[in-house]
Amino acid sequence: MRNKMIIAIAVATLTTNGLMGEEKKFDYNVDRFADIEVLRYQVPGFEDLSLNQKKLVYYLTEAALQGRDILTDQNGKYNLVIRQTLEQIYVNYKGNRENKDFKGLEKYLKQTWFGNGIYHHYGMDKFVPEFSQKFFDEQVKKLGNQKLPLEKGQSLNEFLAVIDRVVFDPAYLPKRVNQADGEDLILTSATNLYDGVTQQEVEDYYNALKDTTDSTPVMWGLNTKVVKENGKVVEKPYKVGGLYNDAITQIVVNLKRAAEFAENDAQRAYIDKLIEFYVTGSLKTFDEYSILWAEETKSDVDFINGFIESYGDPLGMTGSWEGMVNFKNKAASHRTEVISNNAAYFEHNSPVDDRFKKENVKGVTAKVITAAILAGDSYPSTPIGINLPNSNWIRAAHGSKSVTIENITDAYDEVASGTGFNEEFAYSEAEVKMMKAHLTLADKLHTDLHECLGHASGKLLPGVDQDALKAYGSTLEEGRADLFALYYLADPKLVELGIFTDPDTYKAEYYKYIMNGLMTQLTRIEPGKDIEESHMRNRKFISEWCYEKGKAENVIELVKRDGKTYVKVNDYEKLRGLFAQLLAEVQRIKSEGDFEAGRQLVETYGVKVDPELHKEVLERYARLNIAPYKGFVNPIYTLVKDEKGEITDVKIEYGENYVDQMLRYSHDYSPLTRKF
Ligand code: ZN
């Protein structure tokens, strides 16, 4: 379960100093095409790792990069062949590279790299080529059989007939994952996780396997492709000696090297267990690995490498291959530790009724990490937080790891500051300046307070059903955590604890929160639609409620200027008072399970969109021309060796551009394609 709240931070800005006070400004912007912006991220703290840790990171990054082709193939049967054909044309093309057809092909190739296949990574629709079939066919023929990934015995014309249809016929395999109710989700999805089977056959197959009395069930189908052989439905496991053998073997080779540099025995044990899983394909082994992984919290370096999230499967079973290597951000983790250690203070002093407070509250320590490499389903589009493992019974019995990836959020923040977003939407220069100076830290604190304390605070009265709020439960729960965070952001205790020094930090967050809740989050809603997503609903109900309840005292104002609407906060102290009042009420609703009051609150303030304001916001946003989707290129890690061949250091470099990185990966980390 990941936390893809990427767009939620679109409003954030940077500190005036920039990251880490570096003299030369780091260049975050790498490439821009279609609806995509490609960025790069820094890996602060890498230099401070021990040599042993650097070696561990190095081999784990190698293991991560070796999985790229797996995901591309999972995402569509023809993806690897098409990618390779496009790359061959791109590299060998002798004509004018400004030519319209070539430009179109370049754009399509960049999209294909970004989507790990020919489908949009988020929208799931097949990309529309902006180059002619005639141009494509000519280029393919110029390459000739020797430079094309033909199947054994396949003629060039047969090859073209297949690829042309997939690329140029919009009606053929149009969507990677189809979720439309009532259709055969497998037959209508182009994903390569199934072949020759219907949804009914797959469901029957798994229903026969599942034992509903098993309290520790494995995650059926996580690492298999389901096909029909001799009229029978069978699973083909991804493992050494099975599907994707060549890639998985390379992953295992590098995991074995990494294990030599494990930070402790517990970490070595989970790496070994992961290798065992890749060798056997056994889901029981994967569960054992997940438990070892979830319980190991001592080491600084950590990673994900495997079949993890199942959004790519219309039935939500098979995991998309994903890799990420990271290490603990000690300074930021210290911040969340201090907050957690003082959980009792925050609980006892909160504005909610004492009956709803926990006597013994334990804060959750959210670990803050620095990503060192992104791969598979995390690359180039990446989450900003991770919460794993996904198995419910393992989470309940053995815990889970929840992390926020601070160097990725920092990169988003830095880039957002250059888009003119705040300049367009903030009331005046004063608010723009305030957000510039304080919002990076204020946003992090808001997240810390929300995650470490907000969700952990409060209790239900005896006998209250935890699902009493039904469909409004998650919106109200997110609202509760947000209100707890907002209320305490302005508490002098945080200054006393040394978390920040400028007491005005909270105002930047308050302003952004209300501006976002009342207006700017509407940029993510299509015209005519209401707000459905629970985080967006909670931000709206909080902002609208405060706007209305503060009207008599003019706490928040909506000001019209030159036909544009602006949010103006006139009294930050009183706004805090409103947050306190609403927190007390939302906690009451939760503690008493007052469904009707919860429903009223959300439906009255959190759902309906003012169509006129919506239209205005969308127009203003469109003029800023901000790419809706972002992703990242990775840094390059190189081993430094002395004359005896001993590794003395691992060097990190950032300069690589998008095309070079993709072509290099396709050359150096492509175990599943043919070599030319
Ligand atoms: Zn939350």
Side-chain angles (χ1 to χ4, degrees):
M1 275 172 273
R2 56 174 40 176
N3 202 355
K4 282 202 178 175
M5 296 187 300
I6 289 163
I7 327 176
I9 51 158
V11 206
T13 51
L14 74 162
T15 54
T16 38
N17 313 329
L19 269 180
M20 308 164 56
E22 278 170 349
E23 310 251 311
K24 231 179 97 210
K25 221 175 162 331
F26 185 80
D27 187 7
Y28 288 93
N29 299 87
V30 178
D31 209 339
R32 171 86 202 248
F33 52 88
D35 53 357
I36 302 290
E37 177 149 30
V38 181
L39 312 171
R40 58 171 66 84
Y41 60 94
Q42 303 195 70
V43 189
F46 180 74
E47 320 283 350
D48 303 328
L49 296 177
S50 70
L51 179 57
N52 201 66
Q53 288 174 319
K54 284 181 182 174
K55 290 181 195 169
L56 173 61
V57 168
Y58 177 82
Y59 288 112
L60 290 173
T61 62
E62 289 289 301
L65 294 175
Q66 293 289 355
R68 177 171 176 252
D69 284 354
I70 297 177
L71 178 71
T72 303
D73 192 69
Q74 285 184 303
N75 283 348
K77 197 172 174 174
Y78 303 98
N79 282 339
L80 283 173
V81 167
I82 293 170
R83 187 189 83 196
Q84 207 174 12
T85 305
L86 293 166
E87 286 171 349
Q88 286 293 88
I89 296 173
Y90 186 81
V91 171
N92 291 293
Y93 184 70
K94 298 282 188 303
N96 177 7
R97 295 179 93 88
E98 295 303 312
N99 160 324
K100 191 173 155 287
D101 276 316
F102 182 80
K103 281 273 170 210
L105 182 132
E106 181 179 46
K107 178 176 170 184
Y108 188 85
L109 176 56
K110 285 182 176 184
Q111 289 179 293
T112 299
W113 283 327
F114 199 93
N116 289 289
I118 58 169
Y119 299 89
H120 195 279
H121 71 285
Y122 192 83
M124 304 285 178
D125 292 318
K126 193 160 77 172
F127 296 127
V128 179
E130 294 173 19
F131 52 100
S132 68
Q133 185 174 331
K134 183 168 165 281
F135 172 81
F136 179 74
D137 290 359
E138 278 167 15
Q139 300 310 317
V140 168
K141 283 175 183 154
K142 268 185 203 164
L143 284 171
N145 296 22
Q146 297 312 310
K147 289 183 173 173
L148 288 167
L150 302 182
E151 279 174 38
K152 252 200 197 97
Q154 192 181 32
S155 76
L156 200 138
N157 279 334
E158 286 162 353
F159 173 79
L160 263 181
V162 174
I163 302 304
D164 279 344
R165 185 170 180 214
V166 178
V167 174
F168 294 101
D169 180 353
Y172 184 55
L173 304 174
K175 217 172 167 88
R176 173 153 73 85
V177 182
N178 178 31
Q179 303 267 41
D181 199 22
E183 296 176 15
D184 186 312
L185 301 184
I186 289 184
L187 294 181
T188 54
S189 295
T191 164
N192 192 26
L193 307 175
Y194 301 93
D195 203 7
V197 284
T198 65
Q199 181 175 351
Q200 192 60 53
E201 285 171 330
V202 175
E203 284 171 354
D204 291 346
Y205 171 82
Y206 282 118
N207 284 339
L209 283 181
K210 281 180 190 167
D211 171 4
T212 46
T213 60
D214 186 356
S215 58
T216 60
V218 296
M219 299 181 73
W220 293 107
L222 190 70
N223 65 334
T224 59
K225 178 173 179 173
V226 179
V227 301
K228 215 183 256 176
E229 268 180 4
N230 308 321
K232 254 185 85 188
V233 176
V234 292
E235 284 180 90
K236 298 272 199 184
Y238 309 141
K239 65 183 197 96
V240 172
L243 284 184
Y244 304 139
N245 169 69
D246 293 355
I248 293 175
T249 301
Q250 287 304 316
I251 292 172
V252 167
V253 164
N254 284 289
L255 286 177
K256 281 185 178 160
R257 287 182 189 141
E260 292 173 34
F261 305 105
E263 291 180 72
N264 52 53
D265 290 343
Q267 184 173 54
R268 188 168 299 112
Y270 81 67
I271 299 176
D272 287 345
K273 198 49 98 173
L274 179 60
I275 293 170
E276 189 187 323
F277 164 67
Y278 275 134
V279 171
T280 63
S282 156
L283 288 172
K284 272 272 176 241
T285 306
F286 184 73
D287 282 352
E288 289 162 20
Y289 152 77
S290 295
I291 292 167
L292 291 174
W293 178 78
E295 290 184 339
E296 199 286 292
T297 53
K298 293 246 165 17
S299 52
D300 291 336
V301 176
D302 202 351
F303 70 100
I304 297 166
N305 187 307
F307 302 97
I308 310 292
E309 303 289 352
S310 54
Y311 304 106
D313 178 351
L315 300 188
M317 303 191 74
T318 304
S320 297
W321 193 89
E322 178 173 7
M324 178 185 285
V325 182
N326 61 71
F327 55 89
K328 189 171 176 184
N329 176 335
K330 286 183 183 154
S333 297
H334 172 72
R335 202 177 62 216
T336 65
E337 275 159 30
V338 169
I339 289 172
S340 272
N341 291 342
N342 287 276
Y345 165 88
F346 293 105
E347 184 74 358
H348 295 147
N349 291 284
S350 94
V352 315
D353 191 311
D354 284 340
R355 292 180 301 139
F356 309 142
K357 288 179 183 173
K358 271 195 182 123
E359 291 79 22
N360 297 308
V361 58
K362 226 176 138 266
V364 180
T365 307
K367 195 169 136 189
V368 182
I369 60 167
T370 303
I373 207 89
L374 311 168
D377 208 20
S378 285
Y379 172 86
S381 173
T382 192
I384 58 170
I386 296 168
N387 192 333
L388 291 172
N390 278 336
S391 166
N392 284 322
W393 71 264
I394 295 180
R395 295 169 68 83
H398 301 275
S400 59
K401 286 183 185 170
S402 172
V403 297
T404 55
I405 312 168
E406 193 154 294
N407 60 328
I408 297 296
T409 11
D410 281 342
Y412 282 127
D413 284 2
E414 294 278 341
V415 171
S417 74
T419 60
F421 188 95
N422 285 349
E423 286 78 358
E424 172 60 38
F425 287 104
Y427 173 68
S428 76
E429 188 57 30
E431 283 82 5
V432 173
K433 268 194 177 156
M434 186 169 75
M435 289 192 279
K436 233 185 183 122
H438 298 295
L439 203 51
T440 295
L441 177 60
D443 266 346
K444 287 174 189 169
L445 284 174
H446 178 92
T447 307
D448 294 343
L449 290 165
H450 175 115
E451 301 292 349
C452 304
L453 300 177
H455 283 306
S457 81
K459 66 170 184 195
L460 302 185
L461 290 184
V464 171
D465 176 4
Q466 60 167 350
D467 297 322
L469 302 175
K470 300 190 184 108
Y472 300 100
S474 61
T475 296
L476 289 163
E477 175 56 20
E478 291 307 323
R480 196 177 69 89
D482 262 1
L483 286 161
F484 198 95
L486 289 164
Y487 176 76
Y488 274 116
L489 259 181
D491 197 90
K493 182 76 176 178
L494 291 183
V495 180
E496 189 192 301
L497 288 173
I499 303 277
F500 63 89
T501 48
D502 191 330
D504 276 359
T505 303
Y506 85 88
K507 292 184 185 169
E509 186 68 20
Y510 278 23
Y511 186 78
K512 188 209 84 171
Y513 195 92
I514 298 294
M515 176 173 83
N516 183 54
L518 289 180
M519 274 177 61
T520 51
Q521 69 168 347
L522 295 176
T523 55
R524 297 160 57 194
I525 302 290
E526 283 175 43
K529 294 254 167 79
D530 284 335
I531 296 185
E532 288 176 24
E533 200 274 328
S534 53
H535 290 86
M536 295 183 72
R537 281 188 167 187
N538 97 61
R539 290 171 194 140
K540 183 160 164 66
F541 91 68
I542 290 173
S543 305
E544 293 282 356
W545 188 93
C546 291
Y547 172 63
E548 191 173 296
K549 300 293 168 188
K551 248 184 188 160
E553 295 188 280
N554 205 23
V555 178
I556 301 165
E557 228 181 309
L558 285 176
V559 181
K560 276 266 188 194
R561 203 170 56 211
D562 306 327
K564 292 180 178 178
T565 312
Y566 297 92
V567 170
K568 187 167 176 246
V569 174
N570 290 314
D571 192 327
Y572 286 95
E573 259 309 303
K574 285 200 174 121
L575 179 54
R576 188 183 185 221
L578 291 167
F579 287 147
Q581 243 180 296
L582 187 54
L583 172 57
E585 171 61 3
V586 174
Q587 183 62 59
R588 183 198 67 75
I589 290 171
K590 167 126 185 164
S591 292
E592 295 179 350
D594 188 344
F595 172 81
E596 193 44 38
R599 191 187 70 82
Q600 282 284 345
L601 187 59
V602 176
E603 290 292 345
T604 311
Y605 298 102
V607 181
K608 286 275 169 269
V609 175
D610 171 358
E612 230 161 273
L613 180 66
H614 192 191
K615 187 164 171 274
E616 177 201 319
V617 168
L618 288 177
E619 281 168 7
R620 288 164 72 183
Y621 184 70
R623 262 179 262 129
L624 296 173
N625 196 28
I626 297 171
Y629 302 100
K630 295 181 174 62
F632 292 90
V633 293
N634 285 312
I636 305 173
Y637 298 89
T638 327
L639 294 177
V640 181
K641 293 181 180 169
D642 64 14
E643 55 278 14
K644 280 179 263 155
E646 295 280 312
I647 301 167
T648 56
D649 199 4
V650 179
K651 197 174 66 177
I652 180 169
E653 289 167 288
Y654 295 104
E656 195 168 34
N657 74 34
Y658 180 64
V659 171
D660 289 345
Q661 180 152 102
M662 289 298 178
L663 289 174
R664 182 168 66 86
Y665 284 0
S666 293
H667 188 270
D668 294 351
Y669 301 98
S670 192
L672 301 183
T673 62
R674 227 178 93 186
K675 297 289 160 287
F676 297 109

